[in-house]
Amino acid sequence: MNGNKDIRKKILADGKKRTPEQLSKKYNLSVKEINEILKTSSRKYPKWFYVVLVLAPVIFITLLELLLRATDYGYNTEQWVDAGNGKLIINPEVGRRYFPSGNFTPNTIEDMFDLHKKPNAFRVFVLGGSSAQGYPFNPMGAFSRYIRKRLELVYPESNIEIVNVAMTAVNSYTILDLLPGVLEKEPDLILIYAGHNEYYGALGVGSVESYGTSRALIKLMLYLNKYKITQLTRDAINSIASLLTGENIKSHGTLMSEIAQDKLIPVNSEEFAEGVQQFRENMDEILRLSKERGTPVILGKLVCNLKDQKPFASVETPDYVTAIEAYENAVRELNKGNLKKADSLFVLAKDLDALRFRAPQAMNSIIEELGYKYGAPVVPLDSIFNAASPSGIVGDNLMVDHLHPNLQGYQLMGKSYYDYMHKFGYLPPIERGKIPYEKQDSITVANFVFTRLDSTLGVYYAKLLKSDWPFAEKRRNKFNQSDFMNILNPKDFIDSLAAARIENKVSWVDAHLIAATYHLRRDEIKNYLKYMDVIIYQYPVLKDLDGALRFFYAQNKINLNDYTPRRNGLMALYIGNYRNAIKYLKQAYLSAPDDAGLLYNLAYAFYKNNELDSANVYLNRSLALVPGDKDAIQLKTEIGKKLKNKTLHKTRKYEC
C-alpha cells in the first residue's frame, strides 16, 4: 500500500478537507497509516536552502548599498573627506544625518588637519553646538580660533591642529555619533561645550527633528543614517508623502523659530526630565569612550544671558512663581544692590522659562558630576563670565542674544579653556613656551585674525535672529529683500557686502576676497592684507599670499591690473619680503620718479634689507620733494646711526 503513489496523492489531496478518521473509512486504511502518509506532506529541504533563505535579504541589501554608493546616490555619508594637499576636513554634508526632514543642513567652520599626523603635531578637537562653533562670528570668532592662535604664537615649532567640528542646532546625540570618528584621528585633547540644545536641537525631546524619545531607537537610526539605503528609503517615503499631500514644506524663518515651533516644556515636566536624562546618558557614554581610548577631555560649564534676556515663555508651575515674576524680582533686587539674591533669581527665571533654548542648571550639575566621575577638568565658564560682568551677572556685555557670546566673550571662553589646558598639562609636549604666560593673552588678542566684515556679519546674523520668534511675537514666513535691508540697514560697502553674504548672494570666501580687492583698489594695503590673511588662515592649504593669488587667478576671481608694481611692492614691504619690495618699487619708480611716498617706501625697503647707501639715495630724493616729512627725517636719523656704527666697526677691525 505504501508504494501506491496514486492512492498516496489522493490521500494527501483529501487531507486538506477531511479528518484522518474520515480518510480511514474512505480508503479502508487504519488511522495510523493515514497519519503516516499525511506526515510525508511536510517536505524537508536541505540545510543550504535555509542558509540561502536567511542570507538572501542580507545579500540583496548589501548589493543595493554597493550599487547606490557606486552610482553616488544621495549625499556622502562619510565623516571625513579629502581637502587636498594631504589634508582632511569634516564632510560638509555629515550634518544631514541629524536632520531627517532635509530642511536644514548644519555646517562647521571647516577646520583642516593632516591625513597623517606629524610627529610634532598637537591635535585638539572641539565638539558642541552653535556656541562651540562661534555663532554668529563663525568661523573666525570661535573660541577655538583664540586657542589656535595662542598655541601658534607660543609653540611655533609645533604643528598646531585645532579642529572644530561643532554644528548649529545639534546636541549630545551628534557629539556621541561623531566621537568614534574623532577618536580614530588620534587627538591629544578634546574640548566639549554642549548642553543648550538638548531640548530643541536635532533629535531632542522637544525638537521637530526627532525620532521619538527612545535612546536605543535614536542611536539605531543614527547608525542606519550612515548608509545610502536609508537615504533611498527616506527619499521614497518623502516623495510618496509629498504626492499624497501635495505639499513640499520648506522653512523660511530663522532656524530657531522653525526647530522648536510652540513646544513648551515646563520645569519638572516629563519632557524636562527626559531632556536631562538624555544629556546625562549621552555625556556619560562620551566620557567613558574617551577615557577607554586614553584621550583627555575638558568640559565647559554652560553660560547664557541672565541679566538682559527675559524669559521667552512664562507659565504657571506648581510650587513656583512664574518665570517673568522671578525675572522681575531679580531686576528689583539688582537695583537694590542685592547682587547675590538677584543672581539666584535670574537663574531661577531662566530655569522656569518654558521655552528651553537656555539649558537649565541641571545640565551644569551633570557636567560637574561626570567631570568628577571620569577625571575630566571642568571649566567654570558661568562663574568666569559673571566675574567679568558688571554687578557680577552676565548680560549683554558678553552676549549678543540669549546664549551666544560676543567676540570678547568668545575670546574669554578661549582663554578660560586654555588656562585649564595649562593647569592640567594639556599643551604641546615637544617644546617650552616662547612667550611668558602672563603676556600670552594680550599678544593673542592683538594678533587675533578678524576683520570688520567678520564683525559686521556677526552683528547682522544676530539682528536677523532677534527679528523673528521667539524674540518677536510673530513668526516670519520668509525673509524678503526689503526685510533684509530694513533689518540690517547697511551704511557702506562692507555693510552691503555683509548683507549680500547673509542673503547667500556671495560665498564667505568670495565676500572676503571682494573686501580685500576693495581696499587694494583704494591703496589701503594693510586692510587688503588683513582680509587676505583671514582667507589664508581659514584655508591653510593656500599656504601664503602667493598661493592664494594663484588659486584665485586660476578661478578668474582677480584682475591682474589691480596688482600694480607699486601695490605689489607695498604688499611685499608689509609682509617683510624686502627683496621683492625693492624689485616692485623700483619698477613703480620708473613711472613715478617724483612720488615722495614711493621714494620713502623704497628707501625703507633698502634700509630693512641693510642696503644703507641705496636707502640714503632714495631717502634724500624723497626729502628733496617733501623736506618736512617727519617719517623721512626719522628714517634718515636711523640710517645715519647705522652707517656710523658700520664705520666704527670697520675702523676697529683695521686697528686689530
Side-chain angles (χ1 to χ4, degrees):
M1 186 69 211
N2 287 339
N4 194 325
K5 293 183 178 179
D6 292 335
I7 296 295
R8 291 173 67 86
K9 285 182 180 179
K10 290 179 181 180
I11 292 172
L12 290 173
D14 282 349
K16 298 177 181 178
K17 305 174 184 176
R18 301 174 187 271
T19 66
E21 289 75 12
Q22 291 171 332
L23 292 172
S24 174
K25 290 179 181 179
K26 180 176 179 179
Y27 293 102
N28 196 26
L29 294 172
S30 68
V31 174
K32 182 178 180 181
E33 287 177 307
I34 293 295
N35 283 330
E36 287 178 357
I37 292 171
L38 292 175
K39 284 180 181 179
T40 63
S41 64
S42 300
R43 185 179 176 184
K44 294 183 179 180
Y45 295 96
K47 291 182 179 179
W48 62 263
F49 175 82
Y50 297 102
V51 173
V52 171
L53 195 65
V54 172
L55 291 180
V58 177
I59 293 171
F60 172 76
I61 292 172
T62 301
L63 291 175
L64 180 57
E65 177 69 21
L66 291 174
L67 176 63
L68 292 172
R69 289 176 183 264
T71 56
D72 201 25
Y73 177 84
Y75 64 87
N76 184 358
T77 60
E78 300 297 323
Q79 185 162 331
W80 312 108
V81 293
D82 184 8
N85 292 340
K87 300 281 186 182
L88 289 177
I89 191 172
I90 193 167
N91 179 5
E93 295 185 303
V94 75
R96 296 179 70 169
R97 293 181 190 173
Y98 316 113
F99 290 83
S101 71
N103 289 337
F104 173 72
T105 302
N107 54 22
T108 71
I109 65 174
E110 299 184 324
D111 283 329
M112 301 177 186
F113 61 101
D114 289 327
L115 172 62
H116 302 292
K117 189 177 179 182
K118 293 182 173 64
N120 68 331
F122 182 68
R123 181 175 290 177
V124 180
F125 279 88
V126 178
L127 296 163
S130 55
S131 294
Q133 188 190 52
Y135 178 90
F137 298 101
N138 49 311
M140 305 312 296
F143 80 83
S144 59
R145 292 299 171 91
Y146 171 97
I147 295 172
R148 173 181 161 187
K149 174 53 70 174
R150 186 163 173 177
L151 288 170
E152 288 171 342
L153 291 169
V154 178
Y155 300 95
E157 296 172 17
S158 296
N159 183 42
I160 304 300
E161 295 179 319
I162 309 298
V163 188
N164 189 328
V165 294
M167 296 180 229
T168 300
V170 301
N171 57 34
S172 56
Y173 276 118
T174 296
I175 299 174
L176 181 59
D177 185 59
L178 293 175
L179 184 66
V182 168
L183 292 173
E184 288 174 0
K185 299 306 175 186
E186 305 175 65
D188 296 291
L189 177 66
I190 293 175
L191 307 178
I192 298 177
Y193 182 78
H196 281 305
N197 293 338
E198 293 307 305
Y199 291 98
Y200 302 129
L203 311 180
V205 297
S207 175
V208 296
E209 300 281 356
S210 176
Y211 295 121
T213 59
S214 169
R215 187 167 180 266
L217 176 61
I218 293 172
K219 290 179 69 177
L220 174 62
M221 290 304 302
L222 286 174
Y223 174 77
L224 293 177
N225 280 346
K226 298 172 185 178
Y227 294 95
K228 297 273 188 176
I229 198 166
T230 307
Q231 293 182 49
L232 179 66
T233 304
R234 183 178 293 122
D235 290 346
I237 293 171
N238 289 341
S239 297
I240 293 170
S242 180
L243 287 172
L244 292 175
T245 62
E247 296 179 350
N248 187 15
I249 300 172
K250 294 285 184 181
S251 65
H252 297 286
T254 62
L255 177 63
M256 189 174 174
S257 72
E258 295 292 333
I259 202 166
Q261 295 296 336
D262 296 304
K263 187 73 171 180
L264 299 183
I265 303 176
V267 70
N268 294 338
S269 65
E270 183 178 344
E271 287 179 315
F272 178 90
E274 286 173 349
V276 172
Q277 186 63 18
Q278 163 189 302
F279 184 66
R280 178 188 300 278
E281 292 178 352
N282 287 343
M283 289 301 296
D284 190 284
E285 187 171 352
I286 288 163
L287 291 169
R288 176 179 59 79
L289 292 173
S290 299
K291 189 168 186 176
E292 288 173 357
R293 288 290 294 263
T295 303
V297 177
I298 296 180
L299 304 170
K301 290 182 70 175
L302 300 167
V303 62
C304 66
N305 191 334
L306 292 174
K307 182 168 66 71
D308 298 311
Q309 178 61 62
K310 291 182 180 180
F312 290 117
S314 186
V315 297
E316 296 291 337
T317 308
D319 303 322
Y320 291 99
V321 298
T322 64
I324 193 64
E325 287 173 336
Y327 182 82
E328 290 170 349
N329 290 338
V331 172
R332 281 193 289 271
E333 294 300 329
L334 179 64
N335 292 335
K336 292 178 184 177
N338 299 329
L339 305 184
K340 189 173 182 179
K341 190 172 183 180
D343 179 58
S344 297
L345 286 168
F346 278 124
V347 171
L348 176 63
K350 181 257 297 181
D351 278 4
L352 291 172
D353 189 347
L355 201 54
R356 301 220 162 270
F357 285 111
R358 295 177 293 176
Q361 286 301 99
M363 302 306 191
N364 274 342
S365 298
I366 290 170
I367 290 169
E368 282 192 312
E369 174 190 326
L370 294 179
Y372 178 79
K373 177 179 178 180
Y374 289 100
V378 176
V379 185
L381 291 170
D382 52 349
S383 300
I384 291 170
F385 270 61
N386 279 342
S389 303
S391 305
I393 303 173
V394 63
D396 287 344
N397 62 303
L398 292 173
M399 295 284 167
V400 296
D401 52 32
H402 59 306
L403 57 81
H404 297 109
N406 56 24
L407 183 62
Q408 182 185 352
Y410 278 124
Q411 290 177 342
L412 177 60
M413 187 181 290
K415 177 182 181 299
S416 302
Y417 270 101
Y418 189 97
D419 286 343
Y420 268 63
M421 291 165 64
H422 177 264
K423 179 179 179 180
F424 289 90
Y426 299 139
L427 290 172
I430 68 166
E431 59 176 315
R432 295 174 64 87
K434 301 297 189 291
I435 302 172
Y437 191 81
E438 63 275 8
K439 295 182 179 180
Q440 291 177 16
D441 176 58
S442 60
I443 293 174
T444 301
V445 172
N447 288 275
F448 198 68
V449 185
F450 200 77
T451 65
R452 188 195 148 199
L453 176 60
D454 298 300
S455 177
T456 305
L457 283 170
V459 170
Y460 281 4
Y461 278 122
K463 278 187 176 182
L464 285 178
L465 183 72
K466 295 168 88 167
S467 72
D468 199 0
W469 184 89
F471 296 94
E473 290 186 8
K474 294 183 179 180
R475 277 190 173 84
R476 290 181 176 272
N477 292 325
K478 61 180 179 179
F479 284 100
N480 297 314
Q481 173 72 23
S482 58
D483 294 327
F484 281 112
M485 293 302 103
N486 290 336
I487 295 168
L488 305 182
N489 192 23
K491 302 292 187 183
D492 57 20
F493 180 81
I494 296 298
D495 289 353
S496 299
L497 185 57
R501 167 64 195 129
I502 285 178
E503 292 182 80
N504 286 319
K505 292 181 177 179
V506 61
S507 69
W508 181 91
V509 66
D510 284 350
H512 283 76
L513 180 61
I514 291 168
T517 304
Y518 167 78
H519 287 294
L520 178 66
R521 289 174 178 170
R522 293 163 63 93
D523 291 318
E524 297 168 354
I525 304 302
K526 282 187 177 179
N527 284 331
Y528 164 81
L529 290 174
K530 201 169 187 179
Y531 281 95
M532 294 305 293
D533 283 345
V534 163
I535 294 172
I536 296 164
Y537 201 71
Q538 174 64 18
Y539 299 109
V541 290
L542 297 174
K543 295 184 178 180
D544 53 25
L545 182 59
D546 287 341
L549 293 178
R550 284 194 296 270
F551 173 79
F552 290 123
Y553 178 72
Q555 293 191 323
N556 295 316
K557 290 186 176 180
I558 61 173
N559 186 342
L560 291 183
N561 292 330
D562 291 329
Y563 293 82
T564 63
R566 180 193 182 101
R567 289 169 179 167
N568 288 338
L570 289 175
M571 285 181 220
L573 189 62
Y574 282 126
I575 65 178
N577 190 339
Y578 302 118
R579 288 183 178 276
N580 274 351
I582 292 167
K583 170 187 169 183
Y584 288 117
L585 291 174
K586 285 180 76 174
Q587 291 177 16
Y589 169 72
L590 295 176
S591 58
D594 295 327
D595 187 324
L598 176 62
L599 287 165
Y600 170 81
N601 287 323
L602 184 53
Y604 186 76
F606 275 117
Y607 167 72
K608 295 298 289 185
N609 206 45
N610 208 30
E611 298 180 50
L612 302 179
D613 292 331
S614 296
N616 241 341
V617 170
Y618 288 101
L619 190 60
N620 287 336
R621 294 176 187 175
S622 176
L623 283 167
L625 293 167
V626 185
D629 187 328
K630 293 182 179 179
D631 290 332
I633 293 170
Q634 177 64 33
L635 182 58
K636 181 77 173 175
T637 302
E638 294 297 322
I639 292 172
K641 289 179 181 177
K642 275 201 169 187
L643 285 171
K644 184 177 180 181
N645 290 336
K646 190 176 180 181
T647 302
L648 287 172
H649 178 72
K650 284 184 178 180
T651 303
R652 289 172 183 163
K653 183 178 179 181
Y654 292 139
E655 288 175 350
C656 291

